[in-house]
Amino acid sequence: YDEGDDAKYYDDLKQAMNEQAELNREAFEDVGEEARVQLEGYRPGLYVRMEISGVPCEFVEHFCPSTPLVIGGIMSGEDRLGFIQARLKKHRWHKRILKNRDPLILSLGWRRFQTMPLYSVQDHNGRNRLVKYTPEHMHCTATFYGPITPQGSGLLAVQTLSNNTSNFGISATGVVLNLDKSIDIVKKLKLVGYPAKVFKNTAFIKVCSLEQTECRAAEGSAGIFYCFLN
């Protein structure tokens, strides 16, 4: 029922753009091309001459006129580094699942870089739970550090750039979801210990060993925890 309104809005917007283009053409009709470029910038469809310095001689020797060269750039906000949250899925033709913190080479936008992503799955309560491997036939969330890329940009992941691999080259594909710096990922803590004191329904467990990261989390405690016995 609202398709007519959307079509009318699009037609009005297109008409306004055509009217503005006609006004610009009439206003700059008697102005030279150089002055017009300085006033309104380069218009779509203009040919631009670029001079590139430091080109190696192999480029000229192996240059093929039938092969076009694609020149691109990044926006002003894309030259910074930060944490990127993406929706990732292992490629169905890739034989092995991806392990947490394993290095991956990502092709994201105009960049290609190596990073060590953290894989997590969002629970029903909205908590991002860390997983050791990527799920077999479903998406997961990958958090990694790299160049800031706009949301919605597609990414492609490979484990090696060598051509001598027998397996399928593409490891995973995904899309950028969020650029939030405050990303909380929780990990299940497993402790190994023995009961130090046992009461009627309570036992104090003395932990035998803690990992380095877990020691930082439990800093200030005596290494003794208690639990209730059923």
Side-chain angles (χ1 to χ4, degrees), residues 111-182:
R111 308 277 182 68
R112 185 176 65 183
F113 56 95
Q114 188 178 36
T115 185
M116 298 170 61
L118 290 174
Y119 303 123
S120 60
V121 176
Q122 190 173 24
D123 294 334
H124 297 288
N125 54 4
R127 180 177 57 186
N128 294 322
R129 176 172 50 86
L130 187 72
V131 293
K132 191 173 182 180
Y133 300 97
T134 55
E136 189 69 28
H137 300 292
M138 61 180 294
H139 293 86
C140 67
T141 303
T143 305
F144 54 89
Y145 186 78
I148 297 298
T149 310
Q151 299 179 4
S153 301
L155 65 89
L156 186 142
V158 296
Q159 290 183 332
T160 178
L161 298 178
S162 177
N163 295 326
N164 299 326
T165 57
S166 58
N167 297 331
F168 188 70
I170 300 176
S171 302
T173 56
V175 62
V176 176
L177 294 180
N178 200 357
L179 304 176
D180 190 7
K181 297 181 179 179
S182 58

Side-chain angles (χ1 to χ4, degrees):
Y1 59 92
D2 56 349
E3 293 181 356
D5 297 338
D6 295 340
K8 186 176 182 302
Y9 173 75
Y10 177 75
D11 293 339
D12 295 341
L13 188 63
K14 189 174 181 181
Q15 183 179 359
M17 292 176 61
N18 294 333
E19 292 177 356
Q20 185 64 38
E22 186 66 23
L23 290 176
N24 294 342
R25 188 184 64 81
E26 294 177 357
F28 295 104
E29 188 174 4
D30 300 331
V31 182
E33 188 65 28
E34 296 182 359
R36 184 172 181 178
V37 168
Q38 294 178 359
L39 291 174
E40 65 173 358
Y42 292 98
R43 303 184 307 275
L46 287 180
Y47 287 94
V48 180
R49 180 179 179 181
M50 302 182 64
E51 183 176 350
I52 303 175
S53 59
V55 179
C57 61
E58 290 80 8
F59 179 81
V60 181
E61 293 177 356
H62 302 284
F63 178 73
C64 181
S66 60
T67 304
L69 298 177
V70 180
I71 301 177
I74 59 176
M75 301 180 66
S76 58
E78 298 179 12
D79 55 351
R80 297 178 289 112
L81 298 175
F83 286 99
I84 302 175
Q85 201 170 10
R87 184 173 63 241
L88 192 81
K89 184 179 181 181
K90 183 188 76 69
H91 200 281
R92 60 179 180 177
W93 291 348
H94 192 70
K95 295 183 179 180
R96 302 178 59 183
I97 58 178
L98 305 178
K99 188 179 180 181
N100 194 22
R101 287 185 176 274
D102 273 1
L104 279 181
I105 301 174
L106 301 183
S107 176
L108 183 59
W110 294 101
R111 308 277 182 68
R112 185 176 65 183
F113 56 95
Q114 188 178 36
T115 185
M116 298 170 61
L118 290 174
Y119 303 123
S120 60
V121 176
Q122 190 173 24
D123 294 334
H124 297 288
N125 54 4
R127 180 177 57 186
N128 294 322
R129 176 172 50 86
L130 187 72
V131 293
K132 191 173 182 180
Y133 300 97
T134 55
E136 189 69 28
H137 300 292
M138 61 180 294
H139 293 86
C140 67
T141 303
T143 305
F144 54 89
Y145 186 78
I148 297 298
T149 310
Q151 299 179 4
S153 301
L155 65 89
L156 186 142
V158 296
Q159 290 183 332
T160 178
L161 298 178
S162 177
N163 295 326
N164 299 326
T165 57
S166 58
N167 297 331
F168 188 70
I170 300 176
S171 302
T173 56
V175 62
V176 176
L177 294 180
N178 200 357
L179 304 176
D180 190 7
K181 297 181 179 179
S182 58
I183 301 174
D184 296 330
I185 300 177
V186 297
K187 177 184 177 183
K188 183 183 293 185
L189 181 62
K190 294 183 179 180
L191 304 176
V192 179
Y194 62 93
K197 294 181 181 180
V198 180
F199 297 98
K200 186 176 181 181
N201 292 325
T202 306
F204 288 88
I205 308 299
K206 187 172 183 180
V207 178
C208 296
S209 62
L210 286 174
E211 296 181 359
Q212 186 176 4
T213 56
E214 296 167 353
C215 288
R216 294 196 190 101
E219 186 176 358
S221 62
I224 298 179
F225 302 87
Y226 68 92
C227 63
F228 295 98
L229 302 178
N230 294 325

